[in-house]
Amino acid sequence: MAGGAEDLEGFAVDPASRALLARLQNGWIEWLTAVNGGEPEAASTAVDGLLAHTRELGMERLPDLAVGAAILAVELAREGDFERSGWALAAAERLDPGRPEAAFARAEAERLRGARLAAVVARLEGYLRALRLPLERFILLHDLALWLATVLALTAVVFVALQMATKGALLYRDLVAALIRYLPTPLSHALALVALAWPILLPSGLLWLAIYWSVLLWGYAGRLERILFVAVWIALGGLPAAVSEQARRVEVELFGPLQTIVDASAGRLDGDLVTDLGILRAQLPESVAVKQLVADAHRKLGQWDQARDLYQEILESEPGNVTATIDLGTCFFHAGQFQRAIDQFQAAGATRQDLQAAVQFNLSKAHSELYRFDESESALRAARRLDSDRVNAWMRAETGERAVAVDGGLERVGEIRAELRAEWRRGEAATWTTLWRRTLSMPLALVFVLIAVGVHVASRGSGNRPAGLPDRWWPGRADLVRRVLLPGFSEAERGLWGRALGAVAAALALATLPAAAIGLPVPWGLDPGSGLVWVVVAVGAAIYLLLRLRVESGR
């Protein structure tokens, strides 16, 4: 490590790099001062400076500062200062273009201004922007999957409950009749109740009780009902294991250092970058992928000696690592060791075609430094043939006088994610619950299938297979309101189990939608609220009830 570096949570930062990071903080203070002082030109200049310092680190965006600007925009709008609010919104868009929080802030500002339609449009834009960001998209899709799993599970439970209400008495009578041949009557009734209810004691007991009941009712069901029972087994049999695996994925994805890396791969410089890299290295001390990521960070901060040492360690473990080979060459180039840089660039060879333009461009630069102008011009022509657009961009960039790096560590985010998941899986305690969810739930589902076959064989020819609910679920004639407001019952009365299942699922989907984000809230920097969800629920419920009213009125 270079002398004078200070270790910050396991990541050494030298004074020069610390000064560069401090300039970002000072630039933010300058922007706040300019906005509060009513100086739009100074505010714009401060944003220019922030972005320039960010590019010095090889990044393009400042998401934390963009969120801060969006929050300030809302505060100014609430004070009625829409002009300065507009300056803050413009800064938020420049600091991290396409940030959902900026759209949500604009929506709130438009609402406060009285422009309701513009506010709705901006809020919708914010949600669309969220789908383009890895973390927000992951959480939204996770919440959607959890919501659908909840709807599926509840629908299955209601469906099986309706089946048990229809045929449970017959099933119970047959169980008691089988036991009473060998046992006293009171004990036979007690054992029959235990035989019907014991799965409730298992993890996720309500789901397994629904599956178990569906197995016992197999011999009493019609063809369509059996098809639906099989669907219930397939869906719920794997649900505990699927939920457990998804929970592990969520734990990894929400690991702060991993999200910092994901942002960095998209050019976003998080304020916790240095600290998170130290935490990540402590979490996976033997990971070559993490080591390369840290090496890239040292290089971006201008800590060339630290980066060089790490790249050399990486190549000892992975001699064929092309990206580390190229980036080691850039370290030698910066140190003025141009021949060693050439050796590294040439060693990269032609392994990856997408990197050859960078290799040839760097060879051109290194040969030029050694006054080998023919070789330099030849390498530059080769680079232009491979990718003239990128070469022209490199020539125009502020780094045009230096060799270009390829940031191979940022390409290994998926590998780091898998290593974290494996590390945490090894560290989990082998409890009954984890063992159940990982290994035992599907075998039990197969046991239930075997029980279903046995019940079916034993009950063949009994003739006791009612098709649906009794004609009147309640005494007296069922009225229109009851049929509309109790989805599934009307269809079940007529033995239309497919339609009953669909009606129950639709009603449960609308009822549980507001709670879809409870399990894993999206970490918005600026909370958009749940108003849009309630609008969807209200409109969906109105359409649903109108359709049921139309159908039931036509009976």
Side-chain angles (χ1 to χ4, degrees), residues 208 211 232-241 441-442 445:
W208 287 111
I211 296 176
V232 168
W233 300 344
I234 293 173
L236 299 188
L239 192 59
S441 60
M442 288 305 295

Side-chain angles (χ1 to χ4, degrees), residues 397-418:
E398 298 174 6
T399 58
E401 298 302 319
R402 298 180 295 181
V404 297
V406 294
D407 293 332
L410 294 176
E411 296 179 355
R412 306 181 75 167
V413 174
E415 183 179 342
I416 294 171
R417 181 184 289 112

Side-chain angles (χ1 to χ4, degrees), residues 150-161 207 210 232 235-236 501 504 508:
T150 301
V151 171
L152 177 64
L154 292 175
T155 301
V157 169
V158 172
F159 169 68
V160 175
L207 300 182
V232 168
L236 299 188
L501 201 62
V504 169
L508 288 171

